[in-house]
Amino acid sequence: MQINQTPYKTLAIIAGVAALAFFAGIFIAGLGRSTLEIPDVQGFLWPNPPSVKEFSLIDESGAKFSRQQLLGHWSFLFFGFSQCPDVCPTTMQVLKNVKNALSSDDVFSNSGQVVFVSVDPERDTPPVLRQYLHYFDPEFIGITGPDDKLKALTRPLGILFGKIPSGDSYTMDHSASILLVDPKGRVLGVFSMPHEANQLSRAFKSISEFYVQNAS
């Protein structure tokens, strides 16, 4: 079935602008109060990074996954759905390459995780998520839940998604940014497309080193 990509591109552009405006506003608001030398990393949010709000979803094994499961970890978050024809599999492959590139990094190897948030709970049941993620990396985490519970996570972060009818089925439009969440549950990075593994790996190292040296 041929999927019309025009609505996807339109929402992706709107979502990207909304997310960048949201995060840029937070960044600019705090500039005058920061005396720290921040890393030269595009997408790095400092000072006053936004925090992930409380949420309650389920993971690929059916267990509860909440903000608590982000604390103590460095988490790359990406929002998509398993039947996405292009952006999602491409981005998941990039994240696999990022994980491999950071395998020798002590910080990421000890506390790093990749979390795929499905915005299509109707089709992405835990078994479907588990099978989908296993193709990329068995250690990847998949989470999802009803729309209202998904929006408790996505809306405060400026992440948009929506169902688009397509023939006798539907597809999903969604924001395509990758978020980097620190061990305190704060969003320290928002990385827009195009995603590149080496760039993301370097960004993680710079941001995590800054966090260790300066974050309170």
Side-chain angles (χ1 to χ4, degrees), residues 74-78 95 98 108 113-115 178-180 204:
W74 283 96
S75 306
F76 282 108
L77 267 62
F78 176 66
L95 287 170
V98 169
F108 191 83
Q113 60 185 11
V114 173
V115 181
I178 295 173
L179 308 186
L180 177 61
F204 173 82

Side-chain angles (χ1 to χ4, degrees), residues 85-105:
D86 41 36
V87 173
C88 297
T90 300
T91 303
M92 295 306 292
Q93 182 62 46
V94 169
L95 287 170
K96 175 182 178 178
N97 294 339
V98 169
K99 181 174 178 284
N100 291 339
L102 293 174
S103 61
S104 60
D105 181 88

Side-chain angles (χ1 to χ4, degrees), residues 90-152:
T90 300
T91 303
M92 295 306 292
Q93 182 62 46
V94 169
L95 287 170
K96 175 182 178 178
N97 294 339
V98 169
K99 181 174 178 284
N100 291 339
L102 293 174
S103 61
S104 60
D105 181 88
D106 289 341
V107 175
F108 191 83
S109 61
N110 290 327
S111 61
Q113 60 185 11
V114 173
V115 181
F116 175 73
V117 185
S118 171
V119 297
D120 186 13
E122 182 177 336
R123 294 181 295 198
D124 286 346
T125 61
V128 170
L129 274 179
R130 184 165 57 251
Q131 181 178 13
Y132 178 73
L133 294 173
H134 188 84
Y135 175 81
F136 299 100
D137 190 311
E139 295 184 350
F140 282 2
I141 299 168
I143 62 175
T144 193
D147 279 2
D148 58 335
K149 293 189 175 183
L150 279 169
K151 288 174 181 176

Side-chain angles (χ1 to χ4, degrees), residues 27 31 34 36 38 44-49 186 188 210 214-216:
F27 176 82
L31 279 178
S34 177
L36 299 175
I38 66 173
F44 179 49
L45 306 180
W46 193 269
N48 298 334
R186 304 175 300 182
L188 291 193
F210 175 84
N214 300 299
S216 58

Side-chain angles (χ1 to χ4, degrees), residues 153-166:
L153 170 61
T154 61
R155 279 184 173 175
L157 300 176
I159 299 295
L160 304 179
F161 66 91
K163 182 183 289 188
I164 305 296
S166 178

Side-chain angles (χ1 to χ4, degrees), residues 37-42 44 46 203 206-211 214:
E37 182 177 351
I38 66 173
D40 183 17
V41 175
Q42 186 175 5
F44 179 49
W46 193 269
S206 296
I207 292 172
S208 62
E209 288 173 4
F210 175 84
Y211 173 91
N214 300 299

